[in-house]
Amino acid sequence: MTDYPHLDPALRSLADLSQRERIERIRADRWVDYPRAREALARLDELFLFPKRARMPNLLIFGPSGMGKTMIVEKFARAHPPVFDAASGVHRKPVIVLQMIPSPDEGRFYHRLLAVIGALPPTRATLGQLETQALFLLGEIKPRMLVIDEVQNLMAGSNREQRRMLNLLRFLGNELRIPLVCLGSHEARDAIRGDAHLNSRFDPFGLPPWRYDADFHGLMGSLLRTLPLRAPTELGESALKRIVEVTGGVTSAIFRLTADLAVEAIASGAERITPADIFERRVASPTPELAS
């Protein structure tokens, strides 16, 4: 076994795996640490520990598709997994994550929420029955945070439908006395602004596209240390600027480009990514499953 000092210590043994195994590792989802993600996680931790009160603080994480919003929340949820309370016989779920339905509809939203917490709604249930069941079960599960992804879907409805859904979100936050975390595009921010009372409780946290700066250097350094290549990759200023250019600064596109180049480096036997490899690329398509 070789030391591979250019890799993270915990991942160095991966470089001794076969080509096929290393390529599988590169293609798999993985967490890459960088300052803005750490800041987002810190904000989520702060909300998670916030004591219950009548007016709870909320967070809106917004930015273009592919900037890593979903991956940040998934990592946070993994850090707070469900636990079984033997005394009550109930599985507590500290963090509930669900996706906003494609168009605003209160009944469909409650159906989605019940499905996420593992409950079947009554047959032909009225909206009131769905609400009662959801609140009862949430009271049993005792979540500390409710996360709603793709909040910009609210904009697909009429003004009246949007207001009703925004009222529902405000009601849930007030009734459960837990923080709401909403994720979405810039349109998500516009959707939340549609309710003055709700908007005043949401602290916006943007994830803008990457620029060539110190933070991007940090991202690329962290990313390259996770790739099980047997030789170190050294990229200068021009190559890094080129990565920003061809990916539009979108996190998922940056991950996809780097993964493709790493796979090619393994297949060719080069075992490193070179500036020439990057300049030969025209564009990298964003991959939401890597960083949405």
Side-chain angles (χ1 to χ4, degrees):
M1 181 181 291
T2 309
D3 191 21
Y4 307 118
H6 59 285
L7 300 178
D8 281 342
L11 303 176
R12 288 173 185 172
S13 62
L14 300 181
D16 282 317
L17 298 176
S18 68
Q19 286 193 358
R20 179 183 58 80
E21 290 172 312
R22 288 188 290 146
I23 288 172
E24 287 177 356
R25 295 277 184 166
I26 289 170
R27 291 300 189 199
D29 285 349
R30 61 193 177 280
W31 173 256
V32 177
D33 189 41
Y34 56 93
R36 194 66 172 160
R38 286 198 300 272
E39 186 178 348
L41 290 170
R43 299 284 286 276
L44 291 170
D45 274 324
E46 182 181 348
L47 284 180
F48 186 80
L49 298 173
F50 205 90
K52 285 183 179 289
R53 68 181 193 187
R55 186 182 174 91
M56 295 295 291
N58 304 312
L59 181 66
L60 170 65
I61 302 177
F62 68 97
S65 177
M67 286 307 301
K69 302 179 291 292
T70 302
M71 287 195 77
I72 289 170
V73 166
E74 287 177 348
K75 179 174 176 60
F76 180 78
R78 288 195 300 271
H80 302 281
V83 294
F84 180 68
D85 185 342
S88 63
V90 174
H91 278 91
R92 308 293 188 198
K93 197 166 187 179
V95 180
I96 295 176
V97 183
L98 72 155
Q99 188 175 108
M100 178 59 72
I101 52 179
S103 59
D105 179 279
E106 296 146 291
R108 290 178 63 197
F109 179 85
Y110 276 123
H111 272 275
R112 176 69 58 83
L113 178 57
L114 288 168
V116 167
I117 62 179
L120 290 175
T123 305
R124 298 179 181 177
T126 65
L127 180 60
Q129 289 171 324
L130 291 171
E131 179 184 289
T132 299
Q133 183 184 17
L135 291 177
F136 172 77
L137 292 174
L138 289 169
E140 292 285 306
I141 293 170
K142 298 187 185 302
R144 300 284 301 274
M145 179 181 290
L146 177 61
V147 181
I148 305 168
D149 202 352
E150 304 292 350
V151 174
Q152 70 276 359
N153 289 347
L154 287 174
M155 304 295 284
S158 66
N159 289 335
R160 181 174 178 275
E161 289 170 331
Q162 291 178 42
R163 284 195 301 272
R164 288 174 66 92
M165 282 299 300
L166 290 169
N167 285 339
L168 185 154
L169 295 182
R170 181 151 46 92
F171 168 75
L172 284 176
N174 290 341
E175 191 72 14
L176 300 172
R177 295 197 175 190
I178 60 174
L180 301 181
V181 176
C182 290
L183 314 178
S185 63
H186 286 82
E187 287 77 15
R189 193 174 188 181
D190 295 334
I192 296 297
R193 284 173 171 169
D195 184 299
H197 296 289
L198 197 61
N199 182 52
S200 66
R201 303 186 192 185
F202 272 89
D203 188 12
F205 184 91
L207 290 173
W210 293 92
R211 301 177 299 170
Y212 176 73
D213 56 16
D215 281 347
F216 182 67
H217 270 271
L219 172 71
M220 290 303 301
S222 297
L223 179 55
L224 292 172
R225 285 192 294 273
T226 69
L227 301 174
L229 298 175
R230 293 172 178 170
T233 292
E234 297 179 1
L235 302 177
E237 178 179 338
S238 59
L240 292 174
K241 285 182 176 179
R242 179 63 176 168
I243 291 175
V244 175
E245 177 187 346
V246 299
T247 61
V250 175
T251 306
S252 60
I254 294 167
F255 284 16
R256 174 63 180 273
L257 172 63
T258 310
D260 287 347
L261 293 173
V263 167
E264 291 169 11
I266 291 174
S268 69
E271 293 292 344
R272 72 176 75 215
I273 299 171
T274 68
D277 297 329
I278 294 167
F279 279 100
E280 289 173 0
R281 295 289 169 137
R282 292 184 176 273
V283 66
S285 300
T287 353
E289 68 270 17
L290 287 179
S292 61

